[in-house]
Amino acid sequence: APDSMCSAWAVAACSESGTAVPDFALTGNALVACSESAELSMQLGAAFGDKGFWVNATAAYALAMASEPANTEAVEKHAAAIRQTK
């Protein structure tokens, strides 16, 4: 879907340039669009967390863990995001 591709592109571009992910990209579609990349899922998790969207951040970090099970940073950030949802 175009919306998903736009979200994934925005997350990737922001990751490369070190800028904040724009609000339009912080959607459920972005979770799906970035799900095959642990790096993009981590960036998306951070962006969701920066906005206080802890459930979505938790989902993004879970996707990063699924694509890279040995990613200890994803595990730590996932646990931290879960704590924020309580």
Side-chain angles (χ1 to χ4, degrees):
D3 184 38
S4 297
M5 292 177 69
C6 185
S7 295
W9 176 86
V11 173
C14 292
S15 175
E16 290 176 13
S17 67
T19 58
V21 177
D23 288 348
F24 80 82
L26 297 178
T27 67
N29 287 338
L31 286 169
V32 174
C34 296
S35 65
E36 292 184 19
S37 168
E39 181 181 344
L40 290 180
S41 292
M42 293 291 291
Q43 292 293 325
L44 187 58
F48 280 132
D50 288 346
K51 296 290 184 177
F53 302 151
W54 294 111
V55 171
N56 287 0
T58 300
Y61 293 132
L63 289 168
M65 290 173 13
S67 63
E68 285 184 7
N71 186 331
T72 57
E73 182 182 7
V75 172
E76 291 167 6
K77 291 192 178 230
H78 182 256
I82 287 174
R83 285 192 296 275
Q84 291 294 326
T85 64
K86 294 181 179 180

